């Protein structure tokens, strides 16, 4: 399936909003979406969500022969799978541009920057080494896949434990988890990718872009930063002006973000090890209970409209206006309120109805939920 | 190579250059008769060939046509004899796909694609000898080939690499422009920047090699940016020389001076 086309008016609307420093989902220009990390039952399984973007990471290991050129180093394979589950235009074959970009950027950030100590994975030089496989699956694509995937990768690798081995005269013994405690991987530094979307010839930079913002942006800039203020990977696609200035601006923000994300990962890891120790239920149970693991909540769009347009047809019910603190005008179109206790719709022909709904998390919107028509 | 310093105490690099010196660039346009545009570029010992076909009709993959602009297809390939060891390179692997994708994005930003809706422009690049900055040399060669083909560009696309020599004897690390193979493999970060110099626009930025500390990103990026601007001067001179030569040849053969 092809990627759905963005209409010109949608693009223009978004660009106009960004030039006024407003984002469609109400965030500030430098606000990130909520980041949550959940670990599964097995070591090395983790699910990360940034707003609605969800990525599942799983680390596994096996014993293999090392590469001929590096006989005493372990192997690390990173694979990002874009399945049609994440977005309808993803194909299972690995040929698409976004999958290559994701894969290569993560490889650069994690493999090429030597984030994992591969020499400690060697068992018998030139014969047996541990081969670590990191598989990331994109569960839902709502923008900023690279950030989410990098957090999932780092969290999964930090969480993973490999079995303990011993080389005896009889051969290699691999101990089960119950017999000998598994060993975590040696992580030398913690690279995190932070993405920025650039609009208006470099004048407006937006952090953690949503899917629409990504597609409309003139350039997307990703920085891989670690806790020691080092850049592990840089990637700019698209075209923007005054490159070095942008790099400087973004680098500082990226560093702050990387530090806070790494702190969150460490915190969640500590909590998880506590839970494991205390034998309570752990894993994805929490997400399933809340019903959030598969639900796709439509973000509510709240736009303060400054100019009052003449109301064409009927009298508006003043009772709703008092509850909507921000939205003023109802010309003819659909408006949705932020505190959704009242849903107001207004069409030119029908008599205005006010529906009172109890506090719901998702409201069925009309098809053009992304567009607010103001006539 | 133990003991090989990237920057000697006299301030000279392994090939005798100063840190802000580019390698010698030699280029020739119109080397092939079949493609609409072609160019051969040498940047020091890195030798690259570029061929451009287009704009032409999209035949096989109708689904790839855009209704409002041209579809750019770049193919990057390194000849098996290009490196010191003969290496058979599989065409469809991830690294070469990534190069193709980067080139596509660069030229989509640089070519005025809105002038050729529903058409296709193919750019083929072949590295004959790889001595560092292969990607940059390819971008520069492709620019020349596009100009030779007469495809309108927003500006010259110039690409340059820069790296950071480790600090010696207490001095701050020095940024160096236009890395060669030895500097690339010995370690150290390599920043690859492609710009449209006159429009002051950056179309591609990539960091490879080892990690680079944030405090050093500024000088390294500035170095690459000025390197690209210098390369533009060289390319511009070459293009003007080539055009003058063509006009001269036309006059001699009596076809008149009109383009």
């Amino acid at each position: 399936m092809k990627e759905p086309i963005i209409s010109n008016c949608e693009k223009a609307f978004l660009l106009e909003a960004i030039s006024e420093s407003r984002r469609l989902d109400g965030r500030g220009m430098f606000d990130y979406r909520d980041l949550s990390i959940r670990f599964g039952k097995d070591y090395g399984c983790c699910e990360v969500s940034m707003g609605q973007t969800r990525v599942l990471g799983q680390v596994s290991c096996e014993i293999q022969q090392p590469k001929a050129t590096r006989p005493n180093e372990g192997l690390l394979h990173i694979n990002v799978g874009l399945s049609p589950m994440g977005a309808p235009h993803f194909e299972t074959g690995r040929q698409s541009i976004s999958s290559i970009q994701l894969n290569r950027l993560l490889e650069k950030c994690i493999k090429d920057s030597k984030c994992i100590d591969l020499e400690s994975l060697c068992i018998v030089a030139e014969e047996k080494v541990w081969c670590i496989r990191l598989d990331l699956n994109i569960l839902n694509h709502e923008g900023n896949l690279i950030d989410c995937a990098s957090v999932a990768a780092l969290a999964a690798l930090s969480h993973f434990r490999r079995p303990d081995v011993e080389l005896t005269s009889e051969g290699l013994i691999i101990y089960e988890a119950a017999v000998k405690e598994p060993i975590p991987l040696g992580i030398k530094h913690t690279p995190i990718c932070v993405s920025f979307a650039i609009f208006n010839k470099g004048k407006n930079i937006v952090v953690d872009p949503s899917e629409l913002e990504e597609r409309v942006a003139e350039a997307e800039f990703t920085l891989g930063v670690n806790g020691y203020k080092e850049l592990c990977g840089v990637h700019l696609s698209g075209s923007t002006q005054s490159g070095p200035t942008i790099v400087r601006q973004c680098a500082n923000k990226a560093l702050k973000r990387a530090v806070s994300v790494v702190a969150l990962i460490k915190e969640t890891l500590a909590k998880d090890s506590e839970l494991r120790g205390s034998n309570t239920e752990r894993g994805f149970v929490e997400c399933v209970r809340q019903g959030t693991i598969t639900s796709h909540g439509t973000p509510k769009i709240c736009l303060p409209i400054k100019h009052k347009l003449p109301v064409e047809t009927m009298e508006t019910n003043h009772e709703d206006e008092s509850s909507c603190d921000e939205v003023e005008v109802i010309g003819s179109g659909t408006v949705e309120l932020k505190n959704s206790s009242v849903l107001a719709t207004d069409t030119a022909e029908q008599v205005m109805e006010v529906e009172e709904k109890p506090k719901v998390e998702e409201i069925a919107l009309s098809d053009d939920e992304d567009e607010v028509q103001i006539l | 190579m133990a003991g090989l310093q990237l920057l000697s105490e006299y301030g000279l690099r392994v090939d005798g250059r100063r840190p802000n010196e580019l390698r010698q660039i030699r280029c020739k346009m119109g080397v092939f008769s079949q493609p609409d545009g072609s160019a051969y570029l040498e940047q020091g010992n890195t030798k690259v060939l570029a061929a451009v076909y287009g704009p032409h009709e999209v035949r096989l993959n109708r689904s790839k046509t855009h209704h409002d602009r041209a579809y750019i297809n770049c193919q990057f390939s390194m000849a098996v004899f290009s490196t010191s060891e003969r290496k058979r390179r599989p065409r469809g692997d991830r690294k070469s796909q990534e190069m193709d994708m980067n080139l596509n994005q660069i030229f989509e930003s640089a070519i005025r694609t809105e002038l050729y809706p529903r058409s296709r422009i193919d750019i083929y690049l072949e590295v004959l000898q790889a001595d560092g900055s292969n990607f940059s040399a390819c971008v520069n060669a492709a620019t020349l080939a596009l100009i030779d083909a007469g495809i309108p560009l927003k500006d010259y696309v110039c690409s340059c690499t820069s790296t950071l020599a480790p600090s010696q004897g207490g001095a701050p690390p020095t940024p160096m422009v236009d890395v060669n193979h030895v500097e690339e493999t010995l370690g150290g970060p390599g920043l690859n920047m492609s710009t449209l110099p006159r429009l002051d626009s950056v179309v591609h930025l990539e960091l490879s090699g080892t990690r680079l500390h944030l405090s050093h990103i500024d000088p390294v990026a500035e170095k690459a940016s000025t390197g690209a601007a210098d390369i533009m001067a060289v390319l511009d001179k070459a293009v003007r020389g080539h055009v003058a030569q063509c006009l001269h040849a036309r006059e001699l053969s009596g076809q008149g001076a009109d383009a």
Side-chain angles (χ1 to χ4, degrees), chain A residues 2 94-95 97 104 107-108 113 189 229-231 234-243 248 251, chain B residues 63 94-95 97-98 101-102 105 199-207 211-214 217-218:
Chain A
K2 249 190 155 177
R94 245 208 275 128
Q95 300 298 319
I97 290 177
R104 279 299 297 156
E107 262 183 31
K108 265 187 234 169
S113 71
H189 65 99
K229 287 193 180 177
E230 289 170 330
L231 277 181
V234 162
H235 187 86
L236 176 84
S237 60
S239 91
T240 178
Q241 290 196 323
S242 47
R248 207 181 306 139
Chain B
S63 58
R94 240 191 243 161
K95 280 206 176 132
Q97 277 189 326
E98 188 210 0
M101 185 193 80
N102 286 330
Q105 288 178 342
L199 298 178
D200 188 29
S201 195
V202 179
V203 288
H204 180 69
L205 192 61
E206 204 181 319
L207 184 72
R211 314 191 284 270
L212 175 68
H213 196 271
L214 267 182
I217 182 104
D218 255 345

Side-chain angles (χ1 to χ4, degrees), chain A residues 357-374:
Chain A
K357 280 188 180 174
K359 185 177 176 211
V360 284
E361 298 200 347
E362 290 170 37
I363 299 176
L365 294 171
S366 53
D367 284 354
D368 49 341
E369 59 199 23
D370 274 353
E371 286 186 55
V372 175
Q373 294 168 346
I374 304 163

Side-chain angles (χ1 to χ4, degrees), chain A residues 106-264:
Chain A
L106 277 177
E107 262 183 31
K108 265 187 234 169
C109 254
I110 297 181
K111 260 175 100 166
D112 296 349
S113 71
K114 303 199 189 358
C115 138
I116 304 276
D117 184 14
L118 292 176
E119 282 183 6
S120 65
L121 297 174
C122 177
I123 307 169
V124 179
E126 288 180 25
E127 279 175 35
K128 295 186 206 285
V129 293
W130 283 110
C131 170
I132 308 286
R133 272 202 74 92
L134 168 63
D135 289 294
L136 296 160
N137 277 300
I138 310 292
L139 299 176
N140 197 32
H141 174 30
E142 273 296 335
N144 211 3
L145 286 178
I146 178 68
D147 281 21
C148 207
S150 78
V151 176
L154 191 64
L157 287 168
S158 311
H159 192 236
F160 180 64
R161 303 260 187 284
R162 62 167 174 84
D164 197 0
V165 291
E166 197 181 308
L167 195 60
T168 59
S169 46
E170 286 110 41
L172 189 69
I173 309 179
I174 305 175
Y175 292 106
E176 271 184 49
V179 178
K180 261 198 176 180
E181 191 71 29
I183 305 170
L185 296 173
I187 298 190
K188 291 192 206 165
H189 65 99
T190 48
I192 296 279
C193 291
V194 185
S195 288
F196 302 86
I198 302 173
F199 299 86
N200 282 332
K201 298 199 209 293
K203 286 198 216 113
N204 301 100
I205 302 177
V206 145
V207 122
D208 193 7
S210 66
E211 209 224 335
L212 195 60
E213 287 166 352
E214 260 180 8
R215 290 177 64 191
V216 177
E218 61 183 29
E220 217 194 315
F221 187 45
T222 306
L223 281 165
V225 201
N226 70 11
Y228 300 123
K229 287 193 180 177
E230 289 170 330
L231 277 181
C232 311
V234 162
H235 187 86
L236 176 84
S237 60
S239 91
T240 178
Q241 290 196 323
S242 47
T245 339
I246 294 201
V247 172
R248 207 181 306 139
Q249 275 180 319
C250 295
N252 292 321
K253 295 199 182 70
L255 180 66
K256 282 193 209 131
R257 169 69 170 172
V259 166
S260 68
V261 170
V262 170
L264 180 66

